[in-house]
Amino acid sequence: MAFQGKKLINNPDDVVTEFIEGLVETYPGLQYLDGFPEVKVVIRADASGATYDKVAVISGGGSGHEPAHAGFVGEGMLTASICGDVFASPSVDSILAGIRAVTGPMGCLLIVMNYTGDRLNFGLAAEQARSEGYKIETVIVGDDCALPPLLGIAGRRGLAGTIFVNKIAGAAAAAGLSLADVAAEAKRASQMVGTMGVALSVCTLPGQVTSDRLGPGKMELGLGIHGEPGAAVADLQPVDVVVSHVLKQILSSETNYVPITRGNRVVLMINGLGATPVMELMIAAGKTVPKLQLEFGLAVERVYTGSFMTSLDMAGFSISIMKADQTLLQRLDAPTKAPHWPVGSAGNRPPAKIPVPLPPSRSTKSEESLSRPLQLSEQGRILEAAIEAAVNAVIGMRDSLNDWDSKVGDGDCGSTPLDFTLLYTSIIVVALQDQSHRCSWLRCFKDLNAHNSAEDISETVNEIGSSVRRAMGGTSGVLYNIFSKAAYARLKANSDSTVTAKQWAEAFEAAIDAVSKYGGASAGYRTLLDALIPALSVLKERLTAGDDSSTAFVLSSEAALAGAESTKDMQAQAGRSSYVSAAILATVPDPGAMAAAAWYRAAALAVKAKYGKASS
């Protein structure tokens, strides 16, 4: 059912004049002729017919296709744009006013899109201007590749490829070429370009009802930019299929719309029709370029993606392909002050993708150098014992974690691998639910056989943080990664050959601070910090009191477990648990806190046993 279209406008009859007023206020290099509403002409502020010493290049047509053509007025492109009413050819008087305003002794080129009204009105204005003594040439652009080649006298419609012709003619005129030469370059460009589009909706004219011609799940191929029916209606297809169809139509050897064959150089325009998100245009561009290269054997020299010639609020896009040689590329790359011509890059196109860079600590290490050593050092054996104990502890409580998760709404603790690192004296603690990942944690211990330095251990922490990022999902994975990286940064700053218990506590504190800073939580928020913060407090307290490091570690793990249990009495203030009622939360502890306390406690006990043997 048709319904009134919604527009942010005033009087529908004033949309064109009010558009022009806004345009020239936005771009001081533009002006308009004071002839509203009959005369609607945008001109370059620096181009006066009496003194202008270059060929004037003028285009235009019905409005509703913005930024075409007024947005392409500027040095190096159009000298003036003649604006008709919405989807209506400009009047002869407007065209003549534009010619008189900007045409000097070098003459004027009119670039006209192939529609009957435009051809007639621009043609009559050209004849009148010649009778007044102006030198005038005209180039007609018909780049539509959707319609059959033979259509009587009507011919192919002018579409977005006209923008290429405007740019090439404007650059040639700016270079000082004669009227004949500018016209010849424009005509040649018009013969090298083909365009076809696809629409997902019909545009709505200001003040009119929205058409329901296209039903749900349908698209229109070979669209008309004035809201007229396209060449065919089809079921909506993925953009890959749409792009393939459009390219085959434009580059068909049977219809011979454009003289483009395998091995040619081309430029590409992906043109939005007014209501197409940039994301969709970029997807279309990303699929079109490799198809042109691989399937059609063409060298894509330039890609222009954006909205150049729209159809009011139509959803969809058009593809324009133009055969290019060095002269045309130079014209396209020539500087212009036209506000809506995109800033392009000249020269060779670099590869679209390059390898992901690795951090220095990993990029110089081969898989062989990261393999597990045949024999671990004493420190490595303590480390391994802590890892295995922590892993087994978390694996053993998988069902409990899943049950708690289902009640509090987090869903990222039980069955997601829990990876974490805490180094204390000669200790690294990791909780990892999936045992298949153990080898990745043990790969980085080879250097510990030959070296017992802070640098080796800090790099081990860094490696674990990187593995957390690759292996673990959910919020917990990010938090543990932040924890590991912060601990690494603090350890890396230590220049001593060994790491003291106090320095490990400082690294632990830096890691907790980082989690709190980026996660936004602190003590009492019902998170893993409610286990780790009490552990840190007791660890520092016992070290200050003179306890040996392994005993301090065990006592701090008891504080971690108590802190985790206390989360039953807390109302969540972070994460998805914050949306769960207090009554439900009171029945279970926080899963993240319980997991942290479990691996911390298990590792501490394992290290106490191993460390005691090593010290005896």
Side-chain angles (χ1 to χ4, degrees), residues 2 27 264 271 282 299 301 316 344 442 456-457 489 579 592:
Y27 303 106
N264 286 164
N271 170 59
M282 291 301 174
E301 298 286 350
L442 298 174
D456 292 323
I457 297 175
Y579 307 124

Side-chain angles (χ1 to χ4, degrees), residues 46-119:
D46 62 343
S48 171
T51 59
Y52 192 57
D53 60 353
K54 302 287 176 61
V55 171
V57 180
I58 297 176
S59 190
S63 295
H65 306 300
E66 292 72 33
H69 292 273
F72 299 110
V73 175
E75 181 182 346
M77 205 162 174
L78 296 180
T79 321
S81 171
I82 318 300
C83 304
D85 290 328
V86 174
F87 296 166
S89 176
S91 67
V92 173
D93 288 341
S94 286
I95 301 168
L96 270 173
I99 293 173
R100 292 166 182 156
V102 299
T103 304
M106 293 288 286
C108 174
L109 172 66
L110 301 177
I111 300 175
V112 184
M113 296 173 67
N114 189 29
Y115 295 97
T116 300
D118 289 348
R119 292 185 66 153

Side-chain angles (χ1 to χ4, degrees), residues 9-38:
I9 61 173
N10 296 307
N11 188 331
D13 295 332
D14 297 333
V15 292
V16 178
T17 56
E18 291 183 352
F19 155 72
I20 293 173
E21 289 171 343
L23 181 74
V24 299
E25 291 292 349
T26 302
Y27 303 106
L30 305 181
Q31 295 177 317
Y32 66 88
L33 299 182
D34 186 15
F36 289 168
E38 292 81 11

Side-chain angles (χ1 to χ4, degrees), residues 65 87 113 115 158-159 223-228 273 309-311:
H65 306 300
F87 296 166
M113 296 173 67
Y115 295 97
L159 298 174
L223 59 98
I225 60 172
H226 305 105
E228 69 269 29
L273 296 174
M309 182 175 288
T310 64
S311 183

